[in-house]
Amino acid sequence: QVQLVESGGGLVQTGGSLRLSCAASGSIFSINTMGWYRQAPGKQRELVARITSGGSTVYHDSVKGRFTISKDNAKNTVYLQMNVLKPEDTAVYYCNGLPYGPGYFPWPWGQGTQVTVSS
C-alpha cells in the first residue's frame, strides 16, 4: 500500500513563500499524474495543481503564476512551490493522484500539511 507524507507547511505572512513536499513510499510518480489538493475550513477539498508522468502541469486559476508543481521521480517526491501567498491560500494541503470516480482516489490520504497565511 502506497503511503503519502506531506511536509513543509507553516505560518507565513502575506506575500511570503513556502515549499511543500510529498514523499511516496513507492515509485508512483513516473507512471501517474499527481496532484496537490487543499482543504480550507468549511470548504471542500480542491485540486490546485497537477503534474503528469511526462511533466506537463495544470493549475487552478486562483494559483496560476504563483504556484509551481514539480517532481523528482528518483526521490519519489512531488513539490509545490508557493509564492506570493495570500490569506485565502490558508488550508491543509495534500497530495494524491487524480480521482477515478466520485470520491475515489488512488491512494489513502496522508495527514496533510497546514499552511497558514496571515494578513
Side-chain angles (χ1 to χ4, degrees), residues 10-94:
L11 174 63
V12 64
Q13 292 185 332
T14 296
S17 298
L18 286 172
R19 189 193 193 204
L20 307 184
S21 298
C22 169
S25 57
S27 300
I28 60 175
F29 300 151
S30 61
I31 59 173
N32 292 281
T33 294
M34 292 298 297
W36 276 99
Y37 300 77
R38 67 186 179 189
Q39 187 166 21
K43 295 187 177 181
Q44 289 190 333
R45 194 171 301 184
E46 64 177 359
L47 177 65
V48 296
R50 66 179 189 255
I51 184 166
T52 68
S53 57
S56 297
T57 58
V58 178
Y59 299 92
H60 191 280
D61 285 347
S62 65
V63 307
K64 280 182 182 177
R66 300 188 298 121
F67 290 10
T68 302
I69 188 171
S70 62
K71 62 176 181 169
D72 186 330
N73 291 338
K75 295 182 178 179
N76 297 325
T77 302
V78 63
Y79 305 97
L80 186 68
Q81 177 66 43
M82 306 187 297
N83 298 327
V84 195
L85 282 161
K86 304 175 181 181
E88 50 264 44
D89 295 319
T90 295
V92 180
Y93 284 72
Y94 305 85

Side-chain angles (χ1 to χ4, degrees), residues 102-115:
Y104 291 93
F105 289 84
W107 302 287
W109 293 100
Q111 82 289 349
T113 186
Q114 175 72 49
V115 172

